[in-house]
Amino acid sequence: MEPILVYGFPLGSSMGLVAAFEALGQPYRLTRVDMLADMKNDNYARLNPRQETPVLLTDKGNVLTETMAIAAWIEARDTERRISFAAGTPEADRVHQWIGFINSGFTGAFSPLWAALEMTPPDPDFQAALRRYGRQAVANRHEKLEAVIGDTPFLAGDRPTLADLVLIGVARWAEFHQAVDPADYPRLAGLRSRIEALPAVRFAVAIENGESPAGSGALLGQVPLDEVIERFGKKV
Ligand SMILES: N[C@@H](CCC(=O)N[C@@H](CS)C(=O)NCC(=O)O)C(=O)O
């Protein structure tokens, strides 16, 4: 079977993985999840007990969660090295290092901001403290990232890789939460605009917006979430 990537909207980090599948150019399908309405329930937990996106149904029909594991799965199939480097090379190590940084500290810095936004029932004092802490954490991770972005057009060199695509799914949260002023991080701002201009990323954003962009032709269609859960989720 073709792999199926279960991606979340609005503003899911999985947008970067949709772009990665598109850039990979091999046949794939997508499943769309409204994270606000269709994820925090027992049915979705059959697919991912942590009730999160992304989830990959692999070509062997296995359920694979966690962005880093899914990125590694894509990398192993990217034999044309469109968005990765050969295993064991220093360039590949560097891509893994970037993805580790982005998926841990950089992504995690936004957690207090999401927690404040989604808190029910509201607790204004706690939410204000979470927002203050979250903004500090996001600024700190932005400073760290800004300091180590090099002179190459993309994170790991002259061409975009999985590291850039994982970054772009998350970096836009800074504006959404008004956590930092992007102008304070000019290297990151330049990098983000180069990544956002990539056809695969434009495609992924259009998909996230519910449009039907032409794309490369690798996307074979969208599979309804209920069907995916019935076929691949834990049996009840
Ligand atoms: N460690 C997981 C985290 C995934 C994650 O946090 N996904 C977000 C969407 S970007 C989510 O599903 N959040 C819902 C929630 O936990 O409330 C990964 O890297 O894949």
Side-chain angles (χ1 to χ4, degrees), residues 12-14 35 39-40 51-54 66-67 103 118 173:
S13 60
S14 37
M35 294 192 289
M39 198 168 69
K40 298 295 177 188
Q51 298 176 324
E52 295 173 343
T53 56
E66 296 300 322
T67 299
N103 187 247
E118 292 165 3
W173 296 348

Side-chain angles (χ1 to χ4, degrees), residues 2 8 23 26 33 37 45 57-58 78 103 111 113 117 131 135 149 151-152 155 165 178 181 192 195 199 203 209 216:
E2 296 85 20
Q26 299 172 18
V33 180
L57 293 321
T58 72
D78 183 22
N103 187 247
S111 292
L113 298 171
L117 187 78
R131 287 197 180 99
R135 286 198 186 107
I149 290 175
D151 293 325
T152 53
L155 280 173
L165 302 177
Q178 298 181 323
D181 182 351
R192 283 183 55 189
I195 304 171
F203 176 89
N209 291 340
S216 65

Side-chain angles (χ1 to χ4, degrees), residues 17 23 47 63 87-88 91 93 101 111 123 125 130 165 186 195 201 236:
L17 292 177
L47 203 56
V63 178
E91 291 83 4
D93 292 342
F101 171 83
S111 292
D123 180 341
D125 289 346
L130 284 169
L165 302 177
I195 304 171
V201 173
V236 286

Side-chain angles (χ1 to χ4, degrees), residues 119-201:
M119 192 171 288
T120 352
D123 180 341
D125 289 346
F126 190 22
Q127 285 168 298
L130 284 169
R131 287 197 180 99
R132 207 164 70 236
Y133 177 66
R135 286 198 186 107
Q136 280 176 12
V138 170
N140 174 283
R141 291 290 110 177
H142 272 61
E143 281 158 28
K144 298 278 189 297
L145 180 54
E146 182 76 5
V148 291
I149 290 175
D151 293 325
T152 53
F154 295 97
L155 280 173
D158 292 336
R159 60 183 176 84
T161 65
L162 280 157
D164 301 285
L165 302 177
V166 170
L167 173 66
I168 209 62
V170 177
R172 60 213 178 125
W173 296 348
E175 286 84 78
F176 176 74
H177 287 291
Q178 298 181 323
V180 291
D181 182 351
D184 291 341
Y185 308 95
R187 281 175 174 265
L188 178 57
L191 172 66
R192 283 183 55 189
S193 50
R194 285 188 290 280
I195 304 171
E196 280 159 4
L198 297 170
V201 173

